[in-house]
Amino acid sequence: MTKNMISHKKMQSLSHINKFTKHMELVQEYKQELLSLSKSWDNLALLSHFGNSNTNINDTKNSFTDLTHSLLEHLSYETLEKTVREMRFKAQISIDILIRNLFERTADIGFLSTDQDIVNFLTTKDDKEEEEYKLETKKIKKRFKEYIQKYSVYYDIVLFDTKGNVLVKLDDRAAKIEKSEDEIIARALTSTEEYIETFKYHDFLPYRKKSLVYSSVVKESNDKDAKTIGILSLCFRFQDEMGAIFDNLKSERNKECLMILDSDGVVIASSDKYHISLGTKFRHILDDKFKLISHGGRDYLAKTCATNGYQGYFGQEWYGHIMVPVNYAFLEDEDSIEIDQNILLAILQQGNDFSEDLKKIPLKANAIQTNLNRLVWNGNINKAKDDRRESMRGFSRALLNEISSTGEKTKEIFDHSIANLTKTMVLNNTSYVASLMVDIMDRNLYERANDCRWWALTDEFKKVLSSDILDKKGSKRLEKILKYINSLYTVYTNLFIYDTNGVIISVSNENEKHLIGKQLSLDVVTKTKDIKNTNDYFVSKFEKTQLYDEDFTYIYYAAIKENNSFLGGIGVVFDSKPEFKAMLEESIPNFNKNKNKEVFGVYANADKMIISSSNPELNIGDKIKLDDRFFNLANGETYSEIVIYDDKYYAIGVKCSQGYREYKISDNYENNIYAIFFSYISSANLKIDGNKKLFSETQIGLIDNPAEIASFYIGGKWLGVDVNEVYETVSVKKLELSPTLNSDHHFKGTVIYNKKAVAVIDIKKYVYEPVVDEYNEIVIVKNPEENSENYIGILVNSLGDIPEISKSRIKKLDKHLLGNYTLINSVVTPLEDSKNERLLSILDINKLKENLVED
């Protein structure tokens, strides 16, 4: 969860937010509701002067008005912050995912330029007859096609001689181009770099205005000073790749447009070229959180992000850029996540990452409502003692009820809006992070599937395996090639070749030579033999294996064939432990190893088995303890929620893998992986204020022989006294605690009322109720002695209704059974057909005085 500390001074400095609030639908919705209630408060304030209940609600109305302004400011600020966070995240990810992909391309060109078939073709081309040369050219062209079938991120491969003559090219549309005058020829021949990366118009790709090409020289051997014999270029599907990246990130709902800008701010890729076309130029917005800009007669929020790079590679000077039309920027997603409002409010108060100003809003709303309840309660007490005509008393009762109801409605809007805001802040970008985690994994393992299939086509492997006997020379040749490949592709701990019987005959890792001669399982041999063509492969289960030092990993397998004859296979052992962990850590924004138990990522399979985790307390191979609903997602589906996990509240985002290009989509490989992002919120031991059910009822029609009961709440029990025995209630803040030698004693202190010191008592243990919540009120009752001018104060948690009931419903308790062992003398029975079966117990003030108050 991202920290969003906001102070009053900061709020004042963000007056520019006002120009955006008219576009914030949810803020406007709350604003209209509060405006409507504000008018109700004005009317009630006016009517209260006629009710003769001594109830002045102007202070309450003004307090709610002030708090409304603060609430709307915070809602506006956080709504803007949420939008800006999403924009920054998407712009950052769009460029970082691209750079990770292009890093793989630099490895491809480096490896393919040393391909022995290409080297042999270039070194012998001048010695061959025309027909033989044509056959060799077709063979290389076929090999290039095989490469592109595996590494489908490329659309063309071009091979030049050192003079720029085009020797082999896949795109037949440019067949007439026999020689290139492109600058990359001279650059490649004179450069000391391992490769050249160019994004521009290339004369050997005339049908494309701009193309991204990776070029490298081809040398006679791998020796540093070997002679240059040609130039190889890999042509990357840049726009195609950006379309896939943008599709995973963009939202159609808010009409946003994602882009890649070059160093001059020119758009070189756009998620919607009809919205913002290629070639459009914008200023980079790197230092500001965002900018309001105009384009095409429309106002946009805009943000630019530079890449974080990947393993030291930063590519060309490109940037991720996003623009969202202001009038669509603040649309809310459909929210199907139901979280208890009281839990969210408790999370707000006890979470570490919320501002004090924000925490104060619901606390202030509670305080205002508590004061209002006290005001209404005392008004009802005064009204009950009013000896004026019944119609005026009825008006006062109705007015007080409406005041109380309006206060509850106002407080509910505050609580609901703050709870929703808390949920938004807590969930933040959890599903986006989970999406990034699984996207990086799919893209990485796509490369692994490509590698094993491509290396299986190595001619030297075929030559050695087709021999009747594997001699020492052939074994050394296999080992040399495997070691060379593994030195370039360090994501593998070992590469191995096995024969038709599944016996390992060569390995790349010197420390794994003990595996030579080991028999692979029958399942591996059978699956390898069943491979029909060069595009097929299979993957082991994620399980412990002797091929990975008895640890968990995936092994990718491909068949080595010659003219459909099965010669053996190749296995590549993915170094899953560090590689998956690195993927998770790199996906988590601002990852901090010191907080890897608070904010962490997990990869798990459909059986809930942990494949990797950035939290060291979660072990690979164990089951993660999450509900099934997190694993009932379709491919590409995301889900986020607030849950209790390991006795803590976490915001969790989950996404089910959807594959990348052919990988897991059209290659017959199925293995759903769930990326789960955890963001710590607070301890699960929250103090949650539940909605208390007040004793409240409405009796229809005239009431015979009525009585009014002033009720209140102590612990879990509703108690009351006859309204004529009550003076009023005062805030517990007025209590002066008394020094005592016995903290369990019922006497707690005094309060000044009518210039007299009133003893205040705590009767919870006498009504057998454990009180967890704090006391808020002191109910002042009469001293039952005749003509006494003294009072008694009773501590209560909250105030209830003051119902008017028929005295026939008040049932006296049997004194013969109870004797003097209870402070209750009667109960109020529920109305007939009432769903409320709770009893209101009436306190006996005489017993309270006799037993608990000393003269």
Side-chain angles (χ1 to χ4, degrees):
M1 182 173 57
T2 306
K3 285 191 176 183
N4 288 289
M5 307 305 286
I6 175 170
S7 65
H8 181 64
K9 289 182 179 179
K10 188 173 183 180
M11 287 299 303
Q12 288 180 325
S13 69
L14 294 175
S15 58
H16 67 279
I17 293 177
N18 292 333
K19 59 179 167 244
F20 301 122
T21 55
K22 63 182 178 182
H23 302 295
M24 300 176 181
E25 289 185 346
L26 196 58
V27 174
Q28 292 302 312
E29 182 181 320
Y30 286 130
K31 184 177 181 179
Q32 289 304 314
E33 289 183 27
L34 290 166
L35 181 61
S36 176
L37 285 171
S38 177
K39 293 177 181 178
S40 297
W41 282 116
D42 289 339
N43 293 333
L44 291 171
L46 178 63
L47 290 172
S48 66
H49 294 297
F50 301 100
N52 197 37
S53 59
N54 297 322
T55 306
N56 188 333
I57 64 169
N58 281 320
D59 288 345
T60 301
K61 182 193 75 166
N62 293 336
S63 296
F64 271 133
T65 298
D66 291 343
L67 200 56
T68 293
H69 293 151
S70 179
L71 171 67
L72 293 176
E73 281 181 337
H74 276 81
L75 287 175
S76 299
Y77 174 80
E78 292 299 344
T79 300
L80 178 60
E81 282 290 290
K82 171 179 175 286
T83 298
V84 171
R85 280 196 304 271
E86 288 183 7
M87 289 173 59
R88 184 171 61 247
F89 187 88
K90 291 181 178 182
Q92 188 69 63
I93 295 310
S94 63
I95 186 62
D96 282 347
I97 285 285
L98 174 63
I99 292 301
R100 288 182 71 105
N101 191 312
L102 300 187
F103 171 78
E104 296 282 355
R105 311 295 62 94
T106 65
D108 290 346
I109 188 62
F111 178 68
L112 192 60
S113 64
T114 64
D115 183 83
Q116 196 59 47
D117 287 355
I118 296 175
V119 173
N120 291 341
F121 172 78
L122 289 172
T123 54
T124 60
K125 66 180 178 62
D126 295 332
D127 301 329
K128 290 183 172 59
E129 297 292 334
E130 185 176 350
E131 289 303 317
E132 187 181 2
Y133 175 74
K134 286 181 179 180
L135 288 174
E136 289 298 319
T137 301
K138 285 183 179 180
K139 183 179 177 181
I140 290 296
K141 194 169 186 178
K142 181 182 178 182
R143 186 156 174 77
F144 285 177
K145 285 181 179 178
E146 286 277 12
Y147 189 88
I148 284 180
Q149 285 177 348
K150 279 66 175 174
Y151 299 89
S152 57
V153 293
Y154 301 109
Y155 64 89
D156 203 355
I157 303 176
V158 186
L159 181 63
F160 308 90
D161 65 14
T162 55
K163 295 180 180 179
N165 294 309
V166 177
L167 304 179
V168 184
K169 189 177 189 302
L170 289 180
D171 189 349
D172 293 330
R173 293 181 301 171
K176 292 181 180 180
I177 299 176
E178 296 180 351
K179 185 174 182 178
S180 172
E181 301 293 342
D182 201 282
E183 63 174 354
I184 69 167
I185 305 298
R187 282 185 60 188
L189 293 172
T190 57
S191 175
T192 57
E193 301 296 326
E194 293 181 356
Y195 64 89
I196 296 171
E197 182 180 9
T198 50
F199 182 73
K200 64 184 190 65
Y201 173 77
H202 299 86
D203 66 2
F204 53 90
L205 301 168
Y207 297 102
R208 297 176 185 265
K209 292 181 179 179
K210 282 189 175 183
S211 49
L212 181 57
V213 176
Y214 290 83
S215 304
S216 176
V217 294
V218 180
K219 294 190 175 185
E220 281 185 324
S221 69
N222 293 332
D223 294 337
K224 182 179 179 182
D225 298 324
K227 179 183 176 183
T228 297
I229 56 176
I231 300 163
L232 183 70
S233 291
L234 289 174
C235 308
F236 181 68
R237 297 180 184 273
F238 176 66
Q239 295 300 339
D240 181 63
E241 176 61 21
M242 289 315 307
I245 293 173
F246 291 151
D247 285 346
N248 277 343
L249 291 172
K250 72 177 181 180
S251 168
E252 299 292 346
R253 170 184 51 83
N254 64 2
K255 317 296 183 188
E256 68 191 11
C257 190
L258 286 157
M259 290 154 274
I260 298 296
L261 307 183
D262 68 11
S263 58
D264 295 322
V266 176
V267 177
I268 59 174
S270 171
S271 63
D272 186 347
K273 63 183 180 181
Y274 298 106
H275 185 177
I276 298 178
S277 60
L278 302 181
T280 309
K281 191 172 183 178
F282 296 104
R283 289 179 59 188
H284 297 134
I285 303 168
L286 294 167
D287 298 327
D288 297 293
K289 291 175 70 174
F290 72 96
K291 279 279 191 183
L292 180 64
I293 67 171
S294 292
H295 173 71
R298 203 177 197 181
D299 288 336
Y300 292 83
L301 299 181
K303 175 61 183 170
T304 313
C305 291
T307 181
N308 291 313
Y310 180 63
Q311 296 190 14
Y313 171 75
F314 289 85
Q316 302 182 60
E317 192 182 341
W318 291 351
Y319 301 88
H321 188 72
I322 186 171
M323 289 169 53
V324 188
V326 171
N327 53 324
Y328 288 98
F330 308 105
L331 296 180
E332 297 292 327
D333 291 318
E334 290 186 13
D335 187 0
S336 60
I337 304 170
E338 295 184 4
I339 304 170
D340 188 283
Q341 180 171 293
N342 294 314
I343 291 177
L344 288 169
L345 293 174
I347 284 172
L348 170 66
Q349 293 304 323
Q350 295 167 63
N352 298 325
D353 296 328
F354 302 98
S355 71
E356 292 304 314
D357 285 345
L358 190 58
K359 291 181 178 184
K360 286 177 183 176
I361 291 179
L363 296 179
K364 287 180 179 179
N366 282 337
I368 294 170
Q369 186 61 36
T370 298
N371 290 334
L372 181 63
N373 289 343
R374 186 182 305 121
L375 195 68
V376 170
W377 205 80
N378 289 335
N380 273 310
I381 296 294
N382 292 328
K383 176 268 304 174
K385 298 174 181 177
D386 189 359
D387 57 3
R388 294 194 301 169
R389 64 183 184 274
E390 181 64 27
S391 61
M392 183 55 71
R393 291 175 61 190
F395 171 78
S396 295
R397 171 179 278 276
L399 176 61
L400 290 168
N401 287 341
E402 187 60 30
I403 290 172
S404 180
S405 175
T406 303
E408 288 292 342
K409 289 177 184 176
T410 306
K411 181 179 176 297
E412 176 56 30
I413 292 176
F414 277 90
D415 286 350
H416 184 67
S417 59
I418 289 294
N420 274 344
L421 177 58
T422 301
K423 180 168 66 173
T424 297
M425 294 171 66
V426 164
L427 292 176
N428 200 0
N429 289 325
T430 52
S431 60
Y432 284 123
V433 176
S435 296
L436 176 60
M437 284 161 49
V438 79
D439 190 32
I440 286 177
M441 184 192 213
D442 279 343
R443 287 168 171 272
N444 188 295
L445 299 186
Y446 157 84
E447 304 287 347
R448 312 296 64 92
N450 296 342
D451 290 346
C452 71
R453 292 179 294 166
W454 176 247
W455 296 333
L457 297 176
T458 304
D459 272 348
E460 284 296 318
F461 293 164
K462 297 176 184 179
K463 290 176 183 178
V464 174
L465 289 175
S466 59
S467 300
D468 293 333
I469 300 175
L470 178 64
D471 57 18
K472 191 173 182 180
K473 182 179 179 182
S475 181
K476 284 287 185 183
R477 185 61 184 148
L478 290 180
E479 183 181 325
K480 183 179 180 181
I481 296 171
L482 290 176
K483 281 185 175 181
Y484 173 68
I485 296 173
N486 207 168
S487 69
L488 295 175
Y489 292 81
T490 56
V491 296
Y492 304 106
T493 59
N494 194 23
L495 314 179
F496 59 88
I497 302 290
Y498 53 97
D499 64 16
T500 55
N501 296 313
V503 176
I504 296 175
I505 59 175
S506 186
V507 296
S508 64
N509 188 336
E510 194 72 26
N511 296 322
E512 301 287 339
K513 280 197 170 182
H514 63 277
L515 295 174
I516 294 176
K518 297 289 185 182
Q519 173 76 53
L520 297 174
S521 69
L522 178 61
D523 181 60
V524 169
V525 177
T526 302
K527 286 182 177 178
T528 309
K529 287 181 177 180
D530 287 342
I531 288 177
K532 304 301 182 185
N533 59 61
T534 58
N535 290 323
D536 289 340
Y537 69 100
F538 65 94
V539 188
S540 71
K541 293 180 179 178
F542 189 77
E543 59 190 2
K544 287 185 176 181
T545 172
Q546 64 173 340
L547 302 174
Y548 191 58
D549 198 22
E550 296 299 336
D551 213 340
F552 290 89
T553 194
Y554 289 118
I555 301 175
Y556 288 73
Y557 294 92
I560 300 174
K561 290 187 172 185
E562 181 67 44
N563 298 324
N564 292 324
S565 177
F566 176 59
L567 302 176
I570 184 171
V572 297
V573 184
F574 183 60
D575 196 3
S576 64
K577 205 165 190 176
E579 291 297 326
F580 283 149
K581 188 169 181 284
M583 292 178 207
L584 292 171
E585 292 178 355
E586 289 162 5
S587 302
I588 297 172
N590 305 314
F591 177 75
N592 185 342
K593 288 188 177 181
N594 295 323
K595 293 186 176 181
N596 58 11
K597 297 174 187 176
E598 296 180 5
V599 181
F600 59 93
V602 175
Y603 289 134
N605 65 17
D607 295 325
K608 301 185 183 180
M609 186 177 80
I610 296 171
I611 289 172
S612 183
S613 173
S614 61
N615 182 342
E617 293 186 350
L618 297 178
N619 297 317
I620 296 171
D622 289 350
K623 294 285 184 78
I624 190 164
K625 297 175 183 178
L626 284 177
D627 191 84
D628 289 347
R629 66 182 179 277
F630 293 101
F631 296 86
N632 292 332
L633 305 178
N635 294 120
E637 187 178 359
T638 60
Y639 180 72
S640 57
E641 191 178 331
I642 296 173
V643 300
I644 295 177
Y645 180 82
D646 193 25
D647 296 324
K648 304 177 186 71
Y649 274 106
Y650 283 95
I652 290 184
V654 185
K655 184 174 182 179
C656 177
S657 60
Q658 62 185 0
Y660 171 65
R661 293 189 175 274
E662 303 80 28
Y663 178 69
K664 288 189 181 179
I665 295 175
S666 60
D667 61 2
N668 298 319
Y669 176 46
E670 293 183 9
N671 181 27
N672 286 347
I673 298 297
Y674 299 83
I676 311 166
F677 174 60
F678 289 77
S679 181
Y680 173 78
I681 304 170
S682 70
S683 164
N685 187 27
L686 294 177
K687 180 184 175 185
I688 299 172
D689 296 325
N691 294 323
K692 302 179 179 66
K693 291 186 177 180
L694 305 182
F695 185 95
S696 181
E697 64 177 31
T698 302
Q699 187 168 341
I700 301 174
L702 296 175
I703 300 175
D704 294 331
N705 196 17
E708 290 185 87
I709 306 297
S711 70
F712 42 81
Y713 181 85
I714 296 178
K717 183 167 288 187
W718 278 101
L719 302 167
V721 294
D722 188 285
V723 74
N724 293 308
E725 296 180 317
V726 181
Y727 281 98
E728 65 176 284
T729 183
V730 298
S731 171
V732 75
K733 293 178 181 178
K734 295 184 178 182
L735 175 66
E736 290 289 337
L737 292 172
S738 176
T740 177
L741 297 177
N742 182 6
S743 60
D744 291 332
H745 196 274
H746 56 268
F747 174 68
K748 295 302 177 185
T750 58
V751 65
I752 302 300
Y753 180 74
N754 276 352
K755 299 181 181 181
K756 292 182 179 293
V758 179
V760 178
I761 57 177
D762 181 356
I763 66 171
K764 65 175 179 291
K765 65 182 179 181
Y766 303 104
V767 294
Y768 310 107
E769 283 295 329
V771 176
V772 178
D773 296 337
E774 294 180 357
Y775 287 121
N776 290 307
E777 309 288 341
I778 302 172
V779 174
I780 308 295
V781 299
K782 289 183 177 180
N783 188 319
E785 294 180 359
E786 190 174 352
N787 299 321
S788 173
E789 294 183 358
N790 293 325
Y791 315 96
I792 301 171
I794 305 172
L795 286 170
V796 306
N797 292 100
S798 59
L799 302 171
D801 193 15
I802 302 182
E804 190 173 53
I805 62 172
S806 172
K807 289 182 179 179
S808 63
R809 292 173 54 203
I810 302 177
K811 306 299 181 182
K812 293 284 185 180
L813 299 178
D814 193 333
K815 291 184 178 180
H816 295 292
L817 293 175
L818 299 176
N820 291 318
Y821 295 103
T822 178
L823 296 178
I824 297 170
N825 63 13
S826 55
V827 295
V828 178
T829 58
L831 289 168
E832 291 184 12
D833 301 325
S834 173
K835 294 181 180 179
N836 178 22
E837 296 182 353
R838 297 185 65 184
L839 297 177
L840 173 61
S841 301
I842 298 178
L843 287 175
D844 188 328
I845 301 300
N846 286 304
K847 286 186 178 180
L848 189 146
K849 168 68 172 67
E850 292 169 2
N851 293 284
L852 301 181
V853 181
E854 298 179 4
D855 292 328

